[in-house]
Amino acid sequence: MKFTTAPRDLTTGSPARSLLLYAIPMLASMFFQQAYSLADSWIAGNRIGPSALGAVGTCYPVTVLLIAFASGLGMGTSIYCSQHFGAKNYQTLRSGITTSLIAFLPFSCLLCILGLTLSPWIIRLLAVPAEAVSETSDYLFIYILGMLPLFLYNLSNGVLNGLGDSRTPLILLVFSSLCNIVLDLVFVIWIPLGVAGLALATLISQAIAAAATAYSLWRLYDGLESEDGRKMPKAPLFSFTALREILRLGVPSVIQHAFMSTGQLVMQSVINQYGLIVMAGYSVAFRVNGLVINSLMALSNALSGFIAQNMGAGHQDRIRQGVRISLWISCGFCLQAGLLSWLFLWRTAPRRSVSLPPEWGSFRSYPLSICWSVTKLCMMEPCGVSVP
């Protein structure tokens, strides 16, 4: 079997070593993905103003809901490919790759049209303060335009991860994250587009990541050969059997994340009614909390790929060992995150006011927003162990 990328066989060797070497690049990928999300918030709050920070934070639960569709279907594709890679069913694997692209990329365009149509209603539902409505609308509109590259990236990334290659997506995502941060600064400082510039930077960086990941997937697909080195017979481009199985594997993940995102939207609409200070503080906390939760989701995705390959190969003992290792890692990670949150609250709680420029208005009581942020973190982080 010859590949132009570097898939990893997770069915051999030490289960702990295989899982950790597979999971670490995925955890790093999630960290960089959240890093440019936090960079958006930092630039919005420090270079534009508190209303921009609130606008970016308000849109975040909506973007998470949209990402739920892409990541859930990408997860279904990843598990499907992992199972057939572990079972050495390479022709079925090729058919599953093309089936997912043919089925889900047009769906992303329909989701984009639906999102653009419903975006004014969503903003009203979120009870966005009047001073932040315009910026929220701009950010959400531009972000929704990026549904096609978002789906293309998640599907291609899912296949690469499913075949054990978590290193290539990491390299591409690091490059994309750096591009996003640079473009943030360009579109906010040198070309003052405000919040729209932040959304445009995200759109462009997503398109770069999608194109690069799709190219890596194409090289992998083109390099598939049979076990004895001969070219395989041409696989069908579309298979209803493969589509049905991918949906069976992916739709539960979509539903789970959609319910979580809907709850976050309801919470955001309540938070927004308390004004910009609480809105901005909750925005910061939500982004930092997302760093922890998404790291655990990356571990969960790594475990899914590990289980899928070993299930295809019929190695039940390795599956049980992988589950135990993942539970220990997630418990330790959440306890440390909760401890750091409580420590930060203890350090910041005594400070009640700082000197800020007059143009910040009511946002001059900045530590109050910090308290709102850290209080949420202290309540949420220890509970993250339930995510995997």
Side-chain angles (χ1 to χ4, degrees), residues 122 160 251 292 304 317:
I122 293 172
L160 293 175
V251 168
V292 177
S304 297
D317 289 342

Side-chain angles (χ1 to χ4, degrees), residues 38-164:
L38 288 170
D40 279 356
S41 295
W42 185 87
I43 294 172
N46 287 272
R47 292 292 181 175
I48 305 176
S51 62
L53 176 59
V56 172
T58 296
C59 291
Y60 188 63
V62 183
T63 63
V64 170
L65 179 60
L66 296 173
I67 292 173
F69 287 92
S71 63
L73 296 174
M75 173 59 66
T77 304
S78 177
I79 295 174
Y80 180 87
C81 293
S82 291
Q83 289 177 343
H84 290 285
F85 179 73
K88 314 302 181 187
N89 298 327
Y90 301 121
Q91 188 173 15
T92 307
L93 169 61
R94 288 161 60 98
S95 182
I97 293 172
T98 54
T99 296
S100 65
L101 294 174
I102 293 172
F104 300 140
L105 291 184
F107 173 73
S108 70
C109 297
L110 293 176
L111 190 62
C112 176
I113 295 172
L114 181 63
L116 293 175
T117 303
L118 295 179
S119 59
W121 176 79
I122 293 172
I123 292 173
R124 288 196 298 270
L125 180 67
L126 290 174
V128 178
E131 57 267 40
V133 168
S134 176
E135 292 171 314
T136 304
S137 300
D138 292 343
Y139 189 92
L140 187 59
F141 180 84
I142 296 174
Y143 189 92
I144 292 175
L145 288 176
M147 285 298 97
L148 180 60
L150 178 67
F151 268 72
L152 179 58
Y153 170 77
N154 277 275
L155 293 173
S156 302
N157 183 67
V159 175
L160 293 175
N161 283 328
L163 271 62

